[in-house]
Amino acid sequence: MPARSRPVGTVTRGTTNPNRLRRADRYALGPLASVLRRATDPFVVDLGFGAAATTTVEMSDRFLCVRPDIEVVGVEIDPDRVAAAQAFSRPGLSFRRGGFEIPIPGRSPAFIRAFNVLRQYDERDVPAAWELACSRLAPGGVFMDGTCDEIGRRATWICCDATGPLTLTISMQLGSFERPSDVAERLPKALIHHNVPGERIQHFLAAADAAWLALAPLASFGSRQRWLAMCARLRAEGWPVLHRESRWRLGELTVAWDAVKTH
């Protein structure tokens, strides 16, 4: 890729909190762990880490359990944030200025996480950002575009590869919501404005709500049992629900992108 004179993207608010991205990291170390294990160059990027390096440091600590030779690079467009993060640099963890062009010449990351970044962009800018970031991935690599609340109890993310978006995952702290659609306010930018009648994402969330309400008698056995039954019912109804109960029991629900993509 030709050298660029300036990073691609815009400065975001940069708010963050400790442990905010634990749900996304847990998914990366579960269904996406094979992406890290098979990588020829065990190199991952935390894109848009924000005003503090906290979640990038946590990412590095967590990912070491999959690859002790993992290398995490935190990338931020704000030079002051990058300068402040240098205090946390160590072998296998570094920080540099950049954007969606991923400014590491000669290397291709196996995984890129961009959380609460594109949420602050215009929707029309999302496809180009996806395409640019995915063009930097190593073969078989994954780009995760996600959004979550301030303390990480409700999160959603889209996983993409070089071919485009693959899946949507919603992940919620069981017992902290009334209906699955409560996560709607944390949908990624590509979907949040499409949660209206006639759109696939609205139909999916409505189906999840209907299954959740129909299974109310299971509430006496706990929200986990009710969530497991909801996921199973959605799959039985024909929704392309992915993964197994071991993921569902964590409050996760992942579906193939075709089920929720915009018209």
Side-chain angles (χ1 to χ4, degrees), residues 16 21 24-25 43-50 52-60 63 71-77 82 93-99 102-104 109 111-117 143-144:
T16 189
L21 303 187
D25 287 348
F43 159 52
V44 302
V45 169
D46 185 18
L47 178 58
F49 60 81
T54 305
T55 55
T56 312
V57 174
E58 291 174 343
M59 183 187 200
S60 176
F63 281 33
E71 181 179 349
V72 176
V73 178
V75 173
E76 243 296 334
I77 203 167
V82 176
L93 175 62
S94 60
F95 302 87
R96 66 178 61 196
R97 185 173 184 236
I102 314 298
I104 298 89
F111 177 67
I112 303 171
R113 182 187 72 183
F115 243 79
N116 302 306
V117 178
F143 170 66
M144 177 187 283

Side-chain angles (χ1 to χ4, degrees), residues 27 130 157-160 164-170 191 200-201 203-205 231 234-235 238-243 248 252-262:
Y27 189 85
W130 282 358
W157 53 85
I158 297 167
C159 286
C160 309
L166 303 172
T167 60
L168 169 72
T169 298
I170 66 175
L191 293 174
R200 291 184 177 95
I201 183 60
H203 184 36
F204 170 63
L205 291 178
C231 293
L234 288 171
R235 176 178 282 179
W239 290 96
V241 175
L242 305 179
H243 309 318
W248 304 349
E252 287 178 8
L253 172 57
T254 300
V255 293
W257 178 249
D258 283 349
V260 296
K261 67 182 181 181
T262 58

Side-chain angles (χ1 to χ4, degrees), residues 22-38 66 111 140 142 144 157 159 166-167 169 242-244 246-248 250 252-254:
R22 62 192 181 277
R23 293 183 173 275
D25 287 348
R26 185 169 62 188
Y27 189 85
L29 299 176
L32 301 183
S34 62
V35 173
L36 304 176
R37 292 193 180 103
R38 68 174 179 248
V66 170
F111 177 67
V142 173
M144 177 187 283
W157 53 85
C159 286
L166 303 172
T167 60
T169 298
L242 305 179
H243 309 318
R244 301 180 179 180
S246 59
R247 303 307 307 180
W248 304 349
L250 300 174
E252 287 178 8
L253 172 57
T254 300

